[in-house]
Amino acid sequence: AGASTSTSSALSSVYSSGGATQKYMKDANGNIVKKPKVEGATTFAEYVKCGESNVMVKRICGCLDYPKAQSCGDYSEGSVIDAHFRHHPMTRAHLECAKKRLDHFSVVLVTEMMEEAAPFLRWKFGWESVDTHAARGGTSRGSSALEEFKNEPETIQMLHDKHDLDLELYEHAVSLLCQDLAKMKELGMQLR
């Protein structure tokens, strides 16, 4: 191995300094930076600070431009492992890709509107009943991170900063669901 190290091997390099193992990753500007650790987070703010950003955009369109990453099906030598790909930065191009993909889904639902969506699901798929409570995954209708952390403005700002693209994707999903509900209503279908 020569003196220069390729980016992909630098991303997965680990070295020991003072007994602490530190891993590195590439930031949005292409610089090699220390990868944040999620384990050991004792507060929600620490978890948000150390966790993934724009998770939904990444899940729907993270492999745009086919990065050399195992999460994108590339298991060749030097590909970025899943744990490092979690911190791969998302861009507006990823967001636009995710929006376009949602546009092609048969149905787009949002947790906060499951009750309103139940008649739509019955209409769209011919289902006789829809259990909206089970579909919510245990969350309550009124649950809100903004409300829960209203006395922690730094945490709220961090959520917005780390999930800005996800928030835009969420608004797009709400818009798609509202359009579908409006179509159903136009056709004279029962909403409740």
Side-chain angles (χ1 to χ4, degrees):
S4 65
T5 306
S6 71
T7 302
S8 60
S9 63
L11 287 174
S12 58
S13 70
V14 177
Y15 80 92
S16 181
S17 172
T21 300
Q22 298 178 353
K23 295 182 182 180
Y24 289 80
M25 59 178 262
K26 187 166 64 168
D27 69 9
N29 298 319
N31 302 313
I32 303 298
V33 296
K34 188 169 113 176
K35 181 182 148 226
K37 290 179 71 176
V38 174
E39 67 267 5
T42 58
T43 67
F44 183 68
E46 288 175 1
Y47 175 78
V48 170
K49 183 177 180 182
C50 296
E52 285 183 72
S53 60
N54 294 307
V55 176
M56 293 312 299
V57 169
K58 188 172 291 157
R59 297 248 188 307
I60 296 172
C61 236
C63 293
L64 181 68
D65 299 329
Y66 304 102
K68 190 175 176 72
Q70 291 177 3
S71 292
C72 299
D74 184 341
Y75 294 92
S76 64
E77 185 176 335
S79 65
V80 176
I81 61 172
D82 291 344
H84 291 208
F85 185 72
R86 288 183 41 213
H87 299 284
H88 183 75
M90 295 293 99
T91 65
R92 294 214 64 80
H94 291 99
L95 171 64
E96 293 308 315
C97 171
K99 284 180 178 180
K100 285 179 184 172
R101 288 191 178 166
L102 283 187
D103 291 344
H104 294 288
F105 284 21
S106 297
V107 173
V108 175
L109 301 174
V110 293
T111 306
E112 294 81 2
M113 296 177 68
M114 287 303 292
E115 289 177 29
E116 294 90 337
F120 172 72
L121 293 171
R122 287 193 296 271
W123 172 72
K124 177 87 174 180
F125 297 114
W127 295 345
E128 290 189 24
S129 68
V130 176
D131 183 356
T132 59
H133 182 71
R136 294 182 59 80
T139 62
S140 67
R141 183 174 177 85
S143 65
S144 165
L146 295 177
E147 182 62 29
E148 188 169 338
F149 297 100
K150 64 183 174 193
N151 296 325
E152 298 179 39
E154 319 78 47
T155 301
I156 297 299
Q157 186 59 50
M158 197 181 330
L159 279 168
H160 281 277
D161 291 347
K162 290 194 71 146
H163 299 283
D164 58 332
L165 301 178
D166 276 353
L167 292 169
E168 286 187 52
L169 184 62
Y170 170 82
E171 291 302 323
H172 185 69
V174 168
S175 174
L176 291 173
L177 178 56
C178 289
Q179 288 171 31
D180 281 342
L181 293 174
K183 281 183 211 169
M184 185 180 75
K185 192 173 186 178
E186 281 176 26
L187 294 171
M189 305 309 290
Q190 185 83 10
L191 284 177
R192 293 262 174 215

